[in-house]
Structure formats: structure tokens, C-alpha cells
Amino acid sequence: MRATVFKSHQRTFDCYLEGQKKIVQATAKGNLLKGDDTIVVGDDVEVSQEANEEFFITSVHERRSVIFRQIQRENRKKITAANVDLLVVLMSASKPKYKRGMLDRFLLRAAEWEIPAVVVFNKMDSYKEKDFDIKFESDRLSNLGVKCFEISAKDSGHELKYLSNSRDDLLEVLREKNSIFLGQSGVGKSTLISSLSGGEVDLKTKQIGKAGKGMHTTTWSEMIDLGDFKMIDSPGIRSFSIEDLLEEDFKFLFPDLVDLFPKCEFFDCTHEADSKGCYFSDLEEGREKKLILSRLEAYKKLLDEVSATPDWKKASPQK
Ligand SMILES: Nc1nc2c(ncn2[C@@H]2O[C@H](COP(=O)(O)OP(=O)(O)OP(=O)(O)O)[C@@H](O)[C@H]2O)c(=O)[nH]1
Ligand SMILES: [Mg+2]
Ligand SMILES: [Zn+2]
């Protein structure tokens, strides 16, 4: 029987039987969990039922995408989800505070995983213009072809004031896909998924703490099926470190910039304001320049972080 893994409990797995539309607990058979092999949320598996009624996972189908990190020291990929079609990156428009740097890190991962991303600004009910310019952030993302949504998970009737895409537009984008909701703890991933389910699921949520930080309420990824689409709720990201990325590949993770770099006069241009013949400093003053420079700034900052560890010390890229 074909099934989708909805949740992993290390050795046993909640498997959704596609044919019967029900969830059963199954144990992984034989060699399936040996060595680096794991079974993760989103995996497409074969399940069989033995005479004693127990369910077993007998094989894992090929994955069409994976969410992973390179574990440098062990030279392997740690995979945390599979068969994801869309990353829904959630940013809180109030508390926890919006941080552009964090968003750029998520987009970097999206490029690395080769999975399309959209960005959802949540908690728009308590957004204040003095905190950050949401229109600028959204235009910056539009330049990358990333769609942004304005939402209040708590208030489903929230009316658009700043951006052009609403909760209904998001539902449209989710249709027919497996989406994973990513973001810092406390941005409202579980609240939004529960709210989009229209009462079908009620995931655990918790108020953010005094310091304006989330409480790491969701501890395991979990998939939810709504017929038309599937969503994975994930634990708030703790580590934003990107030191596993290779300097050599880094520029390709900025698809908006990679074609612009060769326009500088010198191939080793450092793109500083006073760099001679730099394409970026020679751009015509205006909003467009500001948008591009803000991405260049992110590129330089993150590249510094990546190049702090030389490539040869890092895991070699694996298939
Ligand atoms: N004002 C407001 N509060 C919200 C909104 N969405 C979520 N919250 C609140 O934010 C807090 C955190 O929400 P969660 O859904 O637990 O956040 P999470 O992203 O799942 O957090 P982790 O599971 O810890 O990663 C809860 O108190 C929610 O009620 C919103 O649109 N507006
Ligand atoms: Mg949660
Ligand atoms: Zn330059």
C-alpha cells in the first residue's frame, strides 16, 4: 500500500494510507534506517500489514526534493523533510521582530534545496509602519520573483492594506502541493496552519515570551492533509548558521545577483562604494538601486560568514 509519512517518532512513523485516507503507525523494516538512511516527514513509502495486524514500511520511493543540511564533520547530508514542492517562509510583522537577514538566509536555503519559496508576513494586525517598511521588503522580494502575502493568522478577515496578496491568494498557491512552513519560533506557523485548515486541525501554539521570542512550541515536523493540499508544520529554526555552504558555489545561491557580477570591470571586484568600474556603484540613483544594493549587502555579509571556514574543511557535496 502506498502511504505518505506524516510524522516521525524516530523508529515508528505515522503513515497516511492514500487509498484508505487514514493514518496508521508503522515500523520501518530491515535496513531502511541503517547508516545515514532515514525516513522523514513527506516520504512516499510502501506499507504492508502483517498477519498480526501490525504495519511495516517496506520501502521508500525516490524523493523529488529534500530539505537538508550538510553535516561537515561527518561528511553527510542530514535530511529533515522530503517531497516538498513549496517553502512558505513566515515572518512576523510585529513580535518576534522582523529581521531581513533571517529572510535572506531562508532564501539562500531555498536556492540550495532548489525548492520555490513564498514569503508570508504574518501578524499584520499588529504591524507598525515605524518598525520597518513592508512595501520596500516586498518590492525587494518581487525583484527575485518571490511572492509575498499579507496575513493575520489570528484574524481571518484581515483586509489588505500594504501588499497585494491575501490569505485567499495563499490558499490558491498552496493548492495541489506539499508545502512546508518555515520560520523562527513564535512567528505563527502552527496558528496559520490551523487557521487555514478551517477548524480541521488544532495544532499546539504558545504565546511568545517577555523578550519577544517564541517558546519552541512545535518540536517535531508534522504533515497535515487538507485534501486539496498538504502542509508541514515545522519547529522554529534555532540555528541560522550557513557555515556548511561552500564559498565556491555561493554566488549561485543569489540568482538575482549572479548575472550582474560579470558586469563589473574587474573580475575580482569587491563591490565597495569606491570600487573602480563597479557595476553596482555606477547604477542610477533611485529606489531600484536601493533594492539591488540591499541584496548585495546581504550577499557580502553572508559570504563573509561562509568564507570564515575554508571550503576544504567542509563536507564534499554529495548526491
Ligand atoms: N497578534 C497576532 N498574534 C498571532 C498571529 N498569529 C499567531 N499569533 C500568536 O503568536 C504566538 C505564537 O504562535 P505559534 O503558532 O505557536 O508560533 P510557531 O511559529 O508555531 O512557533 P514554534 O512552534 O515555537 O516554532 C501565539 O500566541 C499566537 O496566538 C497573528 O496573526 N496576530
Ligand atoms: Mg509551532
Ligand atoms: Zn563590483
Side-chain angles (χ1 to χ4, degrees):
M1 286 173 279
R2 195 130 178 163
T4 308
V5 174
F6 270 21
K7 195 171 185 174
S8 148
H9 308 271
Q10 315 267 39
R11 300 211 60 82
T12 59
F13 303 87
D14 291 357
C15 294
Y16 181 73
L17 301 178
E18 299 289 346
Q20 302 173 31
K21 307 229 166 294
K22 68 168 188 188
I23 294 178
V24 298
Q25 284 249 323
T27 313
K29 264 235 155 127
N31 293 342
L32 290 179
L33 296 180
K34 264 215 182 128
D36 289 349
D37 289 340
T38 48
I39 296 176
V40 294
V41 63
D43 260 330
D44 209 355
V45 296
E46 284 301 322
V47 167
S48 71
Q49 192 171 20
E50 311 263 300
N52 64 2
E53 307 271 283
E54 271 186 62
F55 288 94
F56 287 92
I57 298 178
T58 52
S59 66
V60 181
H61 289 280
E62 201 178 323
R63 294 163 169 159
R64 63 174 183 276
S65 68
V66 283
I67 297 219
F68 65 91
R69 287 180 74 85
Q70 285 295 348
I71 305 295
Q72 289 179 26
R73 255 169 303 164
E74 297 160 36
N75 203 8
R76 67 179 178 98
K77 265 182 184 170
K78 182 178 162 51
I79 296 175
T80 48
N83 303 320
V84 172
D85 305 304
L86 181 73
L87 308 175
V88 178
V89 179
L90 241 78
M91 290 280 137
S92 149
S94 60
K95 280 183 184 168
K97 246 166 69 181
Y98 169 73
K99 291 198 189 101
R100 181 193 286 164
M102 224 165 257
L103 184 52
D104 285 321
R105 279 165 202 257
F106 277 114
L107 297 177
L108 199 61
R109 292 292 179 194
E112 183 192 19
W113 299 330
E114 298 178 6
I115 304 176
V118 297
V119 172
V120 170
F121 287 97
N122 186 33
K123 309 202 186 187
M124 285 303 291
D125 52 299
S126 22
Y127 165 70
K128 294 193 181 60
E129 281 175 31
K130 68 171 175 38
D131 290 342
F132 69 99
D133 179 354
I134 194 163
K135 197 73 187 68
F136 183 85
E137 299 308 312
S138 128
D139 287 350
R140 186 172 182 269
L141 290 162
S142 299
N143 271 1
L144 312 176
V146 173
K147 229 176 179 163
C148 293
F149 299 83
E150 173 180 342
I151 272 171
S152 170
K154 274 224 162 154
D155 163 17
S156 54
H158 175 82
E159 277 182 36
L160 294 182
K161 214 168 146 195
Y162 300 95
L163 308 181
S164 49
N165 295 313
S166 68
R167 166 201 176 87
D168 286 342
D169 301 314
L170 175 64
L171 279 168
E172 206 48 52
V173 169
L174 298 177
R175 194 181 297 276
E176 311 276 320
K177 297 189 187 88
N178 289 351
S179 306
I180 189 165
F181 284 52
L182 298 173
Q184 245 188 309
S185 177
V187 295
K189 299 177 291 296
S190 305
T191 310
L192 180 57
I193 290 177
S194 302
S195 144
L196 291 174
S197 85
E200 255 189 65
V201 293
D202 185 14
L203 297 165
K204 209 166 123 197
T205 65
K206 211 184 268 174
Q207 273 196 339
I208 54 171
K210 284 220 172 66
K213 293 231 165 83
M215 307 304 272
H216 291 282
T217 313
T218 305
T219 46
W220 285 101
S221 290
E222 173 177 0
M223 194 181 248
I224 281 112
D225 174 58
L226 289 181
D228 256 6
F229 55 90
K230 295 190 175 80
M231 299 180 280
I232 302 174
D233 189 13
S234 74
I237 303 272
R238 284 172 195 269
S239 163
F240 287 90
S241 124
I242 49 167
E243 56 189 18
D244 56 316
L245 296 175
L246 295 177
E247 186 176 347
E248 192 186 305
D249 303 335
F250 193 68
K251 63 172 186 282
F252 299 105
L253 302 180
F254 283 75
D256 50 325
L257 299 181
V258 70
D259 295 336
L260 302 180
F261 292 136
K263 298 190 178 198
C264 296
E265 201 176 322
F266 301 99
F267 81 98
D268 56 352
C269 183
T270 51
H271 322 297
E272 301 301 331
D274 55 359
S275 298
K276 196 166 166 275
C278 178
Y279 169 78
F280 296 95
S281 20
D282 294 347
L283 284 170
E284 197 183 322
E285 294 303 324
R287 186 175 170 87
E288 191 64 21
K289 177 172 184 172
K290 272 200 184 133
L291 291 168
I292 296 177
L293 287 190
S294 79
R295 279 285 288 171
L296 180 67
E297 196 187 315
Y299 170 81
K300 288 199 281 189
K301 192 159 167 259
L302 296 171
L303 178 61
D304 273 351
E305 210 173 307
V306 164
S307 53
T309 314
D311 281 359
W312 61 268
K313 277 197 176 170
K314 297 174 188 173
S316 52
Q318 299 174 340
K319 291 291 145 255

Coordinates of all heavy atoms in Angstrom, one line a residue, residues 89-107 119 121 131-132 137 140 184-185 187 211-213 240 301:
V89 N 7.8 30.7 3.8 CA 8.7 31.3 4.8 C 7.8 32.4 5.6 O 7.4 33.3 5.0 CB 9.9 32.0 4.2 CG1 10.8 32.6 5.3 CG2 10.7 30.9 3.4
L90 N 7.6 32.1 6.9 CA 6.8 33.0 7.7 C 7.7 34.0 8.4 O 8.7 33.7 9.0 CB 6.0 32.2 8.7 CG 4.5 32.3 8.6 CD1 4.1 31.4 7.4 CD2 3.8 31.9 9.8
M91 N 7.3 35.3 8.3 CA 7.9 36.3 9.0 C 6.9 37.0 9.8 O 5.8 37.3 9.3 CB 8.5 37.4 8.0 CG 9.7 36.8 7.2 SD 11.2 36.9 8.2 CE 11.9 35.3 7.9
S92 N 7.2 37.4 11.1 CA 6.2 38.1 11.9 C 6.4 39.6 11.6 O 7.6 40.1 11.6 CB 6.5 37.8 13.3 OG 6.1 38.9 14.1
A93 N 5.3 40.3 11.4 CA 5.4 41.7 11.2 C 5.4 42.5 12.5 O 5.6 43.7 12.5 CB 4.2 42.2 10.3
S94 N 5.3 41.8 13.6 CA 5.4 42.5 14.9 C 6.4 41.8 15.8 O 7.6 42.0 15.7 CB 4.1 42.8 15.6 OG 3.4 41.5 15.8
K95 N 5.9 40.9 16.7 CA 6.8 40.1 17.6 C 6.7 38.7 17.3 O 5.6 38.2 17.2 CB 6.5 40.4 19.0 CG 7.1 41.7 19.5 CD 6.7 41.9 21.0 CE 7.2 43.2 21.5 NZ 6.7 43.6 22.8
P96 N 7.9 37.9 17.2 CA 9.2 38.4 17.1 C 9.5 39.4 16.0 O 8.9 39.3 14.9 CB 10.1 37.1 17.0 CG 9.1 36.1 16.5 CD 7.8 36.5 16.9
K97 N 10.5 40.3 16.2 CA 10.7 41.4 15.3 C 11.2 40.8 13.9 O 11.9 39.9 13.8 CB 11.9 42.2 15.8 CG 11.4 43.6 16.2 CD 12.4 44.3 17.0 CE 13.7 44.7 16.4 NZ 14.6 45.4 17.3
Y98 N 10.7 41.5 12.9 CA 11.2 41.2 11.5 C 12.7 41.4 11.3 O 13.1 42.5 11.7 CB 10.4 42.0 10.5 CG 10.9 41.9 9.1 CD1 10.8 40.7 8.4 CD2 11.7 42.9 8.5 CE1 11.3 40.6 7.1 CE2 12.2 42.8 7.2 CZ 12.0 41.6 6.5 OH 12.6 41.5 5.3
K99 N 13.4 40.4 10.8 CA 14.8 40.6 10.5 C 15.0 40.2 9.1 O 14.9 39.0 8.7 CB 15.6 39.7 11.5 CG 15.6 40.2 12.9 CD 16.8 39.6 13.7 CE 16.7 39.9 15.1 NZ 16.2 38.7 15.9
R100 N 15.5 41.2 8.3 CA 15.7 40.9 6.9 C 16.8 39.9 6.7 O 16.7 39.0 5.8 CB 16.1 42.2 6.2 CG 16.4 42.0 4.7 CD 17.1 43.2 4.1 NE 16.2 44.3 4.0 CZ 16.6 45.6 3.8 NH1 17.9 45.8 3.8 NH2 15.7 46.5 3.7
G101 N 17.8 39.9 7.6 CA 18.9 39.0 7.5 C 18.5 37.5 7.5 O 19.0 36.6 6.9
M102 N 17.5 37.3 8.4 CA 17.0 35.9 8.5 C 16.3 35.5 7.2 O 16.4 34.4 6.8 CB 16.0 36.0 9.6 CG 16.1 34.9 10.6 SD 15.2 35.2 12.0 CE 16.5 35.7 13.1
L103 N 15.5 36.4 6.7 CA 14.8 36.1 5.4 C 15.8 35.8 4.3 O 15.6 34.8 3.6 CB 14.0 37.3 5.0 CG 13.1 37.2 3.8 CD1 12.2 36.0 3.9 CD2 12.2 38.5 3.7
D104 N 16.9 36.5 4.2 CA 17.9 36.2 3.2 C 18.5 34.9 3.4 O 18.9 34.2 2.5 CB 19.0 37.3 3.2 CG 18.5 38.6 2.5 OD1 17.7 38.5 1.5 OD2 18.7 39.7 3.0
R105 N 18.6 34.4 4.7 CA 19.2 33.1 4.9 C 18.2 32.0 4.5 O 18.6 31.0 3.9 CB 19.4 32.9 6.4 CG 20.7 33.5 6.8 CD 20.8 33.6 8.3 NE 21.8 34.7 8.7 CZ 23.0 34.4 9.1 NH1 23.4 33.2 9.4 NH2 23.8 35.4 9.3
F106 N 16.9 32.2 4.7 CA 16.0 31.3 4.2 C 16.0 31.2 2.7 O 15.9 30.1 2.1 CB 14.5 31.6 4.7 CG 14.2 31.2 6.1 CD1 14.0 32.1 7.1 CD2 14.2 29.8 6.4 CE1 13.8 31.7 8.4 CE2 13.9 29.4 7.7 CZ 13.7 30.3 8.7
L107 N 16.1 32.3 2.0 CA 16.1 32.3 0.6 C 17.3 31.6 0.0 O 17.3 31.0 -1.0 CB 16.0 33.8 0.0 CG 14.8 34.5 0.4 CD1 14.8 36.0 -0.1 CD2 13.5 33.8 -0.2
V119 N 6.9 34.2 0.6 CA 7.1 34.8 2.0 C 5.7 35.3 2.5 O 5.0 35.9 1.7 CB 8.1 35.9 1.9 CG1 8.1 36.7 3.2 CG2 9.5 35.4 1.5
F121 N 4.1 37.5 5.4 CA 4.2 38.4 6.5 C 2.9 38.2 7.4 O 1.8 38.5 7.0 CB 4.3 39.9 6.1 CG 5.6 40.2 5.5 CD1 5.8 40.2 4.1 CD2 6.7 40.5 6.3 CE1 7.0 40.5 3.6 CE2 7.9 40.8 5.8 CZ 8.1 40.8 4.4
D131 N 8.2 50.4 12.4 CA 9.1 49.2 12.7 C 10.0 48.9 11.5 O 11.2 48.7 11.5 CB 8.4 48.0 13.2 CG 7.8 48.2 14.6 OD1 8.4 49.2 15.3 OD2 6.9 47.5 15.0
F132 N 9.3 48.7 10.3 CA 10.0 48.5 9.1 C 9.1 48.8 7.9 O 7.9 48.8 8.1 CB 10.6 47.1 9.0 CG 9.6 46.0 8.8 CD1 9.3 45.4 7.6 CD2 8.9 45.5 9.9 CE1 8.4 44.4 7.4 CE2 8.0 44.5 9.8 CZ 7.7 43.9 8.6
E137 N 10.3 45.9 1.5 CA 10.7 44.5 1.7 C 10.0 43.6 0.6 O 10.6 42.7 0.0 CB 10.3 43.9 3.0 CG 11.0 44.6 4.2 CD 12.5 44.7 4.1 OE1 13.1 43.6 3.8 OE2 13.1 45.8 4.3
R140 N 11.5 44.3 -2.8 CA 12.8 43.6 -2.8 C 12.7 42.1 -3.2 O 13.4 41.6 -4.0 CB 13.4 43.8 -1.4 CG 14.8 43.3 -1.3 CD 15.3 43.7 0.1 NE 16.7 43.3 0.3 CZ 17.1 42.1 0.8 NH1 16.1 41.2 1.2 NH2 18.3 41.8 1.0
Q184 N 11.1 31.4 12.2 CA 11.6 31.5 13.6 C 10.4 31.0 14.5 O 9.3 31.1 14.2 CB 11.7 33.0 13.9 CG 13.1 33.4 14.2 CD 13.0 34.9 14.7 OE1 12.4 35.7 14.0 NE2 13.6 35.1 15.8
S185 N 10.8 30.6 15.7 CA 9.8 30.2 16.7 C 8.9 31.5 17.0 O 9.4 32.6 17.2 CB 10.5 29.7 18.0 OG 9.5 29.4 19.0
V187 N 6.5 32.9 15.1 CA 6.0 33.7 14.0 C 4.6 33.3 13.7 O 3.9 34.1 13.0 CB 6.9 33.7 12.8 CG1 8.3 34.3 13.0 CG2 7.1 32.2 12.3
A211 N 10.7 38.5 26.3 CA 11.7 39.0 25.4 C 11.3 39.1 24.0 O 12.2 39.5 23.1 CB 13.0 38.2 25.6
G212 N 10.1 38.8 23.7 CA 9.6 38.9 22.3 C 10.1 37.7 21.5 O 10.1 37.7 20.2
K213 N 10.4 36.6 22.1 CA 10.9 35.4 21.4 C 9.9 34.3 21.6 O 9.2 34.2 22.5 CB 12.2 35.0 22.0 CG 13.4 35.9 21.8 CD 14.6 35.2 21.2 CE 15.6 36.1 20.6 NZ 16.5 36.6 21.6
F240 N 20.8 29.5 12.5 CA 20.8 30.1 11.2 C 22.1 30.0 10.6 O 22.4 30.7 9.6 CB 20.3 31.6 11.3 CG 18.9 31.7 11.6 CD1 18.4 31.7 12.8 CD2 18.0 31.7 10.5 CE1 17.1 31.8 13.1 CE2 16.6 31.7 10.8 CZ 16.2 31.8 12.1
K301 N 27.7 40.2 3.4 CA 27.7 39.8 4.8 C 27.7 38.3 4.9 O 28.5 37.7 5.7 CB 26.4 40.4 5.4 CG 26.4 40.3 6.9 CD 25.5 41.4 7.5 CE 25.3 41.0 9.0 NZ 24.0 40.4 9.2

